[in-house]
Structures are given as C-alpha cells and as structure tokens.
Amino acid sequence: MSIKVKLSLMISLIATTILSLNLSLYYYSTKNELENSLRQEMLAIAKQIGVNLDAADKSKRLMEEAIGEKLRAVAIAAENELDPRIERVRNEQLAELSRKLGVDHISLWKRTEGDIKVLRSSDPLELNMGSNTMDYWYKAFNQLLDERQVTIPQGQKLDHYWSGPYQYATSDPDQIHKWGYYYDGTTDYIINPYVNAQMFLDYENKVGTNALIGSVMAGNPDILAIAGFDPEFFGKPQIIKVKKGKSVRNLDVRDVSFGVYAYADEQDVAYVQRAAETGEVATARFKTGGREVFKSFIPLMNEKPCVVSVIFDYGSVREVLSHRLLQLSLISAGLLALAAGASYFLAGAMIRPFRLIVAYVNEIAVGRFGRRLETRSQDELGTLIMRVNAMADNLQTYMGRLRDSAEELRSTKEYLESFVNHTSDAIHVSDLQGAVTQANRAFGTIYGWRPEEVLGREAPIVPAELKREGEAIRARVAAGESVTDYETVRLTKDGGRIDVSITVSPIRDGREDVVAIAEISRNITARKQSEEVIRRTEKLSVIGQLAAGVAHEIRNPLTTLRGFVQLGRKQGTLSAAYLDIMLPELDRINLIVSEFLVLAKPQLSQFRPTDIAELLRDILSLLESQASLVNVKFNAQLSQDIPPVPCDGNQLKQVFVNVVKNSLEAMEDDGGEIRVELFHDKGEGDVVVRVTDQGRGIAEEHMAKLGEPFFTSKPAGNGLGLMVSQRIIANHRGAIGFSSKPGIGTRVEIRLPLS
C-alpha cells in the first residue's frame, strides 16, 4: 500500500473518529437533555398533583369534620330521647330515632368483661359486635368511657366525642360508613350514630386526585401510570382484615394512596424510601413487563408526606433519539466521503517531494554518495532534505571507518580463536542448563572428548559424587559470581580420574544479564603427585625428628620392665602387684609405637566425622616427653561441646604435629608454656584450633614467605612442613593464619568448616 493511500486513509480515519465522537457526544447530550426535560415534566405533573391532593385532602377533611359535628349533634339529640339505662332501650326505638334524626343507623356500645360490644342497634347486623380487635378504635372507646376524652392521634376529637375515619363496615364490608361516638357519663353506654360515606370515594374519583390523574394521562399518551405512595406503609405487609368472610383493606393504611400502581419492580420500595428520607427526586430506568420505562419518585411534603411516582414510556425517547441520530449520521457520511476524496488529492501533493528523497536514499543504500538534493524551501521539508544530505556525507565517512573496524575485528577474532585453540588449558562454554555450546582443542586433549561429541549436551566429565558440587558452582556463577582456581576431580573419556584446577566465569550480554558460563580447566595431576611426594618426605622428616623423643619415651617404661624382669629372675617368680605395674607400662609402649606408626605409614585420604579434641589430646600426649626435654608445658583448653568435623584425621595429625613441633623448637632455649585452644565459632560456623607459644617469634619480613617451598629459618629445616600443612588445610576447605611478634611469641589459628 502506497504512502498516498495510507495518508488518505489516515486522514479519513481521523475524520471518521471526529465524526463518531461528535455523534456520540450529540447522542448522549440529546439523551440527557430529553431525560432532563422528561424529569421536569414529571416534576411539574407531581407538583400539580400535590396542589390538587392538598386541596382535595383539605376538602375531604372539612367534609369529614362537618359530618363528624353533625353526628355529635345527632348523638346529643339521641341522648335526650333515650333512657340512660341500656336495658330499657329497644332496637325498634333506635330505628325510629335514626329516621327521625336523619342518619342511617344508631348503635349503643357498652363495656362488658374483656370487651366493649354493641348491645343495641337499629342495624341487626351490628348487634353483639365486639371491638377488642379493632386496633386504635378499641383504645378510643376505653379513653372515652374512662376519661370522657380521646387523645389518640387518629380521628376527629371533640368534647365527650370521637369520630374515626371513614372505613369499610365490619358488619357489612360492602358499605363504607362514617361513625361518631358520644359519651358524657350520663348514660351507661356510648351513643354511635353513623352514615354512609361512599361520597368520599366518589368525590376522589370524580373531582379529586384520581380524576386529575386520568385527565393528565389522557393528555399525554407517553405517561403509562401515576401513583401516590405512603412511605409509612409502602413495602410493608398489607393490613388486610376479614369481615363477614370478605378480605378488606383499611382505607386509612393504604400503601398506594391514589392512582394505579403499574409496572412494579422490587427496587421501587428503596426508591420511595430514599425520596421520602432525602426530600429529593429519585429517577430510574427499568425494563418491566416487556417495556423499558422511566420512573420518577417525587416527594410531596404536604400535611401527610407522600411520594408520587410518574412512569413514562422510555421508548418514545429512544424513538426521538434514533430519528435525530439517523439524520446526523447521513450528514456525517456525506462529509466523510467529501473528506476522503479531498484527502486523497492532498496526500498526492504532499508526498511528491518525499518520492525524490526516497529515490536519493535508494542511491545511498547501494553506496552511491555523489549526488546531492536541492533545497527549495525553508520549512520542515527543506530541513529534512538538508539532514538527508548531511546523513549521506556522514555515512560515506562511517562506511570507511566500518571497513577498517571490520578488518580489525576479523584480525582480533582470528587471534582469539588461535589463542583459545592453542592454549594448553581446556576451555568450554555452556548455557545456564549445562549444555556445551563451544569447546577448544585442549578440551579433547585433557578429557579425551572431541568438541563435536559434547556440543548440545552436558559434558560427562563430573564424577557422580561431585554432581551436587558442580551444580552449586553453576548456580553461583549463574547468579553473577566467579570461581577461581578451584581444585577438584574430573573424569576423562576412558573413565580415568584427573586432578584439575578450574576457573568458572559468567558470560554477560549487553544488558549485563548472565547468558552463558565459561570454564577453564588445568590438569594439575602431576603437581598433586609432587605435593604428595613432598608431604611424604616431610612426614618422614617429622618422624625422624620425633624418633629421639619417642625413644626417650619408650626407654622409661622399658627401664621399669627390665628392673622387674631382673627381680623376677632373682626371685624365681613375680607377684601380681608387679605384673599390674608391668602391664600398663607395656600398654604405654604399645600406644607410643601405634601413634608413631600412624605418622610413619602412608594413609589414603578418607574424610569421616572426627573428634578434633581427641585428636589433639593424642598429639599432646605423643609430644609431651619431647616438651619436657626443653622445659615446655602444654596448657590445653579444649571445649567439650565441639561437633565432629568431616576430615582426614591422619592428615590433620600431621598438621598439628608440624605446628606444635615448630612451637617447641621456637621455645627450646628458654622454655615456657604452649597454649592449645579448641572452640566452636558459631558465628562463622567453624571449629577453631589455636596454638600460641612464648618463643622467639618470626620477623615481619619473613611473615609473607611462610609456606613457600624451601623457605625456613631453621638450620636443619627444608621449608616443606608449612607448605604441606597449608595444602592439607586447603584440601579440607579450611584456612590457616599466622600472627607473631619477635621476642613475644607466635600464634597459629586453624579454621575447619563443619560442612
């Protein structure tokens, strides 16, 4: 696809995006505008209903109060006509009096045991009807009989009189009556005249709020329903009473005060309560009855709080929105087509200079740098042409430098490859999983494996018992560490074992991440064999020096044995007491000879957990006689809680003998004390052996040369003792350190790891 087409498509895409955003903004702004207009319309309807409802409530209240006062007057007139004792009043007399006074019926209520009942009435259906199940009516009757005044909040209250709200009659649930109750204490009964109150419902349906709702809905077909809710009762279980076998809802506890509750939803209760509590209009959109509706819940703070719900058909809003959106979409489509055509021609004019630049860049790409582009403008395009010309000059310069660098890199690569392939050390590179990626010729010379035989897999040169050690080294190097001059054992192709010194280093990429591991191996088998010869020579030298001390030590028990043997020869027999003395002396000679043989004969290097304290006690016991010859005493401070150390006990004995003998030789002129300490350094996790003498010390210039072959300050020494000792400690992964002051003494500290 050409840049011209791409640029045209990009401009068209931008135009499409802008038009789409415009359509979206128009849609949502128009939708919000229509919804706000709808809310205002609903609010106006609710206010109109509120005004009408307030006026209707006042009218009904005035009518009720007028009827209540009339019923009180009828009750007073009836009191004047009736006997104050109820048993002297007849039902027929009450019927005649009702017609005379212009009311429907008159009933007389009298308190009985646990109830207040109708005992006389012009309506036979009222007779023997009780009131103890009539809620606040029963309470009003008791207050009237006891205090001659009623204080409950419901109903009309006058002097010696109370009139309850109009309600369905208990005796005839098809009738709605208005009752009045009068008692001034002159009679033994309550006088109860009442009239039919159907006119109140007729007034509400024909002139009141329901009539207004019908008129509003007839004038606006998009309004689906209008209803008024009483927050006190809406959402609560309905109070339904059974009167004469018919279920009747009390007119004074209606949850829906007026109108028709249609398109009900379970969330309506929450919206009604929120509107009543906050005094603010609550709106919501629901899908109910297969139709999307818009509901408004509008609180009316009249004499009795009420929430008006106006339900609007939201489909009409969507219809208006769809019509307007279609018009705007058609206009946008025309504008988009116009923008696409204009952008195509505009893109062609814009990219014409870029074609020249592209042609010139193609020439540069094939190495032709001679031509230059002409700059005809000072705008961004002119700046681009100038920068392309400058780039061509720079590329020409850099190309020459790159050729020189490439030649230098080729020479360096050949040098490095020659170095790697001709060095006597085996070099191989592996990835982080251990697979070999490169190996030099010396790798095949040392290990017997040709490089191509191990490429792509792990080199089989690590003995099985050292696999864990090899994995630990690889993990350390993969973490960024380096391992230098690490002495270990490796396998050759024919299964032989060789001693090697390895240096393992990480190979990093440009982000300093470790991507591979390089290992350099050096065969030190010959050096190890030479060290073993030196160690054996040193051991023989030490044993030769110990010979005098051992001979002196053996001579003492031999003198004792010889004396007892001569005594036995003279006496013919020896007593058991003499034999008990001779046997320990023989054991002592055997112990001395055994220790001497341990030092004298070659031992294989075998690591096993060893009690270092016992090892030191044996050494000190062996050298005690030699120490006494030079007036030296041993001060052994050996801790009791030392854990066993994995080591070669015979080799460590050789080290301890070398160190202690050096201390003895340093103190042979003046004598003194050699302190031998053994303790566990829990901070470092090491077992520490520390030997401190009071000898002549070591000169400072000689400290750096300790352990070098054939360096010694003793006339008859060969300088191999400390070298062998250092090598033994190194093989045990330990450390040996020296500190000394001339004329004061020397301290040797040996650290052995527990693992």
Side-chain angles (χ1 to χ4, degrees):
M1 186 182 294
S2 65
I3 295 179
K4 180 179 179 180
V5 176
K6 289 182 179 178
L7 188 57
S8 177
L9 288 176
M10 187 177 298
I11 295 174
S12 300
L13 181 61
I14 293 173
T16 303
T17 304
I18 293 174
L19 290 173
S20 299
L21 289 174
N22 181 53
L23 285 174
S24 300
L25 291 174
Y26 175 79
Y27 175 81
Y28 287 108
S29 62
T30 304
K31 176 173 167 290
N32 291 333
E33 182 181 346
L34 289 174
E35 288 185 357
N36 289 333
S37 175
L38 190 59
R39 289 189 185 93
Q40 294 301 322
E41 183 180 352
M42 291 179 172
L43 186 59
I45 292 172
K47 288 182 178 179
Q48 183 180 359
I49 291 173
V51 172
N52 183 271
L53 181 63
D54 197 30
D57 286 344
K58 289 181 180 178
S59 299
K60 285 195 296 182
R61 187 170 64 253
L62 290 174
M63 291 170 60
E64 279 199 76
E65 289 177 354
I67 293 175
E69 291 177 356
K70 176 185 174 182
L71 292 175
R72 183 177 185 275
V74 169
I76 292 174
E79 183 184 37
N80 294 328
E81 297 286 336
L82 297 174
D83 191 284
R85 307 276 296 179
I86 195 170
E87 61 269 14
R88 298 174 183 174
V89 178
R90 294 175 294 105
N91 294 329
E92 295 80 4
Q93 183 182 1
L94 293 175
E96 182 181 350
L97 187 59
S98 298
R99 290 190 293 271
K100 178 181 176 181
L101 297 178
V103 294
D104 289 350
H105 291 286
I106 298 176
S107 297
L108 303 182
W109 296 75
K110 185 174 181 180
R111 179 178 282 160
T112 61
E113 185 176 355
D115 200 357
I116 300 175
K117 291 185 176 182
V118 177
L119 299 183
R120 300 288 187 273
S121 177
S122 60
D123 184 1
L125 297 176
E126 292 273 318
L127 289 173
N128 295 318
M129 184 175 63
S131 61
N132 58 1
T133 61
M134 295 171 62
D135 302 325
Y136 62 85
W137 295 71
Y138 182 64
K139 185 176 181 180
F141 293 168
N142 280 300
Q143 288 183 350
L144 198 61
L145 289 171
D146 295 337
E147 305 171 11
R148 302 178 187 176
Q149 297 295 337
V150 178
T151 60
I152 63 172
Q154 296 90 346
Q156 181 183 8
K157 296 173 283 293
L158 297 174
D159 191 30
H160 305 303
Y161 176 79
W162 179 74
S163 176
Y166 64 90
Q167 189 61 271
Y168 288 101
T170 303
S171 58
D172 186 1
D174 293 328
Q175 299 293 322
I176 298 176
H177 290 156
K178 172 71 175 174
W179 294 272
Y181 301 91
Y182 181 82
Y183 178 76
D184 61 0
T186 60
T187 62
D188 62 353
Y189 50 83
I190 297 174
I191 302 173
N192 170 214
Y194 57 93
V195 295
N196 188 280
Q198 183 65 37
M199 58 182 173
F200 289 104
L201 294 183
D202 295 340
Y203 173 83
E204 186 172 342
N205 293 328
K206 294 179 181 179
V207 183
T209 307
N210 289 334
L212 176 62
I213 291 173
S215 174
V216 171
M217 292 181 62
N220 193 337
D222 292 329
I223 296 179
L224 301 176
I226 299 175
F229 301 107
D230 189 337
E232 183 180 355
F233 302 107
F234 184 66
K236 298 178 181 177
Q238 296 182 358
I239 301 176
I240 300 177
K241 294 187 176 181
V242 179
K243 299 181 179 181
K244 297 292 184 179
K246 182 177 180 180
S247 299
V248 178
R249 293 173 58 190
N250 286 352
L251 295 175
D252 56 338
V253 291
R254 289 180 295 176
D255 53 352
V256 181
S257 304
F258 54 83
V260 178
Y261 179 33
Y263 301 96
D265 189 88
E266 58 184 11
Q267 299 183 43
D268 289 346
V269 175
Y271 281 105
V272 169
Q273 294 299 327
R274 185 196 307 172
E277 291 172 1
T278 63
E280 298 178 355
V281 178
T283 59
R285 203 163 70 234
F286 296 96
K287 256 195 172 178
T288 177
R291 174 177 264 170
E292 190 174 13
V293 298
F294 190 83
K295 292 185 179 182
S296 286
F297 299 88
I298 305 157
L300 297 178
M301 299 304 173
N302 293 340
E303 183 176 345
K304 184 173 183 182
C306 174
V307 175
V308 177
S309 170
V310 182
I311 303 176
F312 194 87
D313 185 3
Y314 199 76
S316 61
V317 175
R318 291 202 177 277
E319 186 177 349
V320 173
L321 281 173
S322 300
H323 180 69
R324 294 185 184 179
L325 193 61
L326 178 61
Q327 289 179 336
L328 193 58
S329 298
L330 293 175
I331 296 172
S332 299
L335 292 174
L336 183 60
L338 182 61
S343 64
Y344 185 78
F345 291 105
L346 180 62
M350 290 179 62
I351 67 170
R352 194 171 294 114
F354 289 100
R355 289 177 178 171
L356 298 175
I357 297 174
V358 170
Y360 181 52
V361 171
N362 287 333
E363 293 180 12
I364 295 174
V366 296
R368 294 199 296 267
F369 299 98
R371 191 165 68 89
R372 293 290 181 271
L373 293 176
E374 295 183 7
T375 304
R376 298 180 179 179
S377 61
Q378 300 299 322
D379 56 5
E380 289 83 355
L381 188 59
T383 303
L384 176 61
I385 293 174
M386 292 173 60
R387 299 309 297 167
V388 170
N389 288 333
M391 179 187 69
D393 295 336
N394 292 333
L395 281 175
Q396 190 172 9
T397 303
Y398 294 151
M399 285 292 290
R401 294 180 182 176
L402 284 174
R403 291 190 189 96
D404 297 339
S405 298
E407 181 61 27
E408 184 179 351
L409 286 174
R410 185 187 62 79
S411 176
T412 303
K413 180 182 178 183
E414 291 178 355
Y415 175 79
L416 289 176
E417 287 180 350
S418 175
F419 171 77
V420 170
N421 286 323
H422 291 87
T423 183
S424 60
D425 294 335
I427 301 175
H428 72 280
V429 179
S430 59
D431 58 22
L432 298 181
Q433 286 71 43
V436 177
T437 59
Q438 186 178 353
N440 68 347
R441 296 174 185 171
F443 184 86
T445 303
I446 293 178
Y447 293 112
W449 294 93
R450 295 196 307 276
E452 57 270 18
E453 291 180 323
V454 294
L455 291 179
R457 66 189 185 98
E458 188 173 354
I461 60 175
V462 181
E465 69 273 12
L466 297 179
K467 287 285 187 182
R468 185 175 297 176
E469 176 188 80
E471 292 173 357
I473 292 175
R474 186 191 306 164
R476 288 173 55 192
V477 176
E481 297 183 36
S482 294
V483 177
T484 306
D485 296 333
Y486 186 84
E487 295 184 4
T488 184
V489 177
R490 289 292 183 260
L491 295 176
T492 60
K493 185 177 182 180
D494 58 5
R497 301 170 73 93
I498 58 174
D499 293 311
V500 295
S501 173
I502 62 172
T503 297
V504 190
S505 306
I507 298 177
R508 302 177 185 270
D509 59 10
R511 294 176 298 182
E512 291 299 315
D513 295 331
V514 177
V515 295
I517 298 173
E519 182 175 324
I520 302 174
S521 307
R522 176 170 293 176
N523 191 342
I524 60 171
T525 303
R527 193 189 78 188
K528 283 283 188 179
Q529 292 172 351
S530 299
E531 289 176 354
E532 181 62 26
V533 171
I534 293 173
R535 186 160 53 247
R536 291 177 181 177
T537 302
E538 172 63 16
K539 185 181 290 187
L540 292 174
S541 175
V542 170
I543 292 174
Q545 294 175 25
L546 288 175
V550 173
H552 178 270
E553 191 69 20
I554 293 177
R555 186 182 293 124
N556 290 333
L558 282 177
T559 301
T560 304
L561 291 173
R562 189 173 185 277
F564 280 113
V565 170
Q566 289 177 343
L567 180 62
R569 186 177 181 182
K570 289 181 180 181
Q571 295 179 352
T573 58
L574 289 175
S575 67
Y578 294 156
L579 293 175
D580 290 340
I581 295 174
M582 293 173 67
L583 284 174
E585 292 298 316
L586 287 172
D587 291 338
R588 184 179 174 191
I589 293 171
N590 184 52
L591 175 62
I592 293 170
V593 172
S594 297
E595 292 295 334
F596 187 73
L597 288 175
V598 166
L599 292 174
K601 73 176 182 178
Q603 300 289 329
L604 293 176
S605 180
Q606 295 182 351
F607 281 56
R608 57 172 58 89
T610 303
D611 186 350
I612 300 298
E614 183 179 352
L615 207 64
L616 287 172
R617 281 192 287 268
D618 292 343
I619 296 297
L620 296 180
S621 176
L622 182 64
L623 298 177
E624 188 173 4
S625 60
Q626 186 175 348
S628 64
L629 293 175
V630 292
N631 196 25
V632 173
K633 294 183 179 179
F634 292 124
N635 179 9
Q637 299 179 5
L638 310 180
S639 298
Q640 300 300 318
D641 57 346
I642 304 299
V645 177
C647 65
D648 186 325
N650 292 325
Q651 291 188 1
L652 286 186
K653 275 188 177 183
Q654 182 178 349
V655 173
F656 297 151
V657 167
N658 275 332
V659 172
V660 176
K661 278 185 61 61
N662 285 342
S663 294
L664 286 172
E665 291 171 356
M667 297 173 61
E668 59 187 4
D669 295 334
D670 301 323
E673 180 183 88
I674 296 177
R675 186 167 70 253
V676 180
E677 301 172 78
L678 173 66
F679 59 91
H680 181 200
D681 186 351
K682 296 182 179 179
E684 297 292 334
D686 297 335
V687 170
V688 180
V689 178
R690 186 180 293 161
V691 179
T692 307
D693 64 47
Q694 299 173 349
R696 50 182 171 268
I698 304 171
E700 185 175 354
E701 62 270 15
H702 293 163
M703 290 293 292
K705 297 182 179 181
L706 291 179
E708 293 184 2
F710 309 110
F711 171 77
T712 179
S713 60
K714 296 183 288 186
N718 54 22
L720 299 178
L722 282 182
M723 185 195 76
V724 173
S725 297
Q726 288 179 331
R727 180 61 59 186
I728 291 173
I729 296 301
N731 289 339
H732 283 75
R733 306 289 187 266
I736 182 169
F738 303 90
S739 60
S740 180
K741 290 185 179 180
I744 296 178
T746 302
R747 171 180 291 177
V748 181
E749 184 173 281
I750 300 171
R751 287 182 170 270
L752 298 170
L754 287 173
S755 59

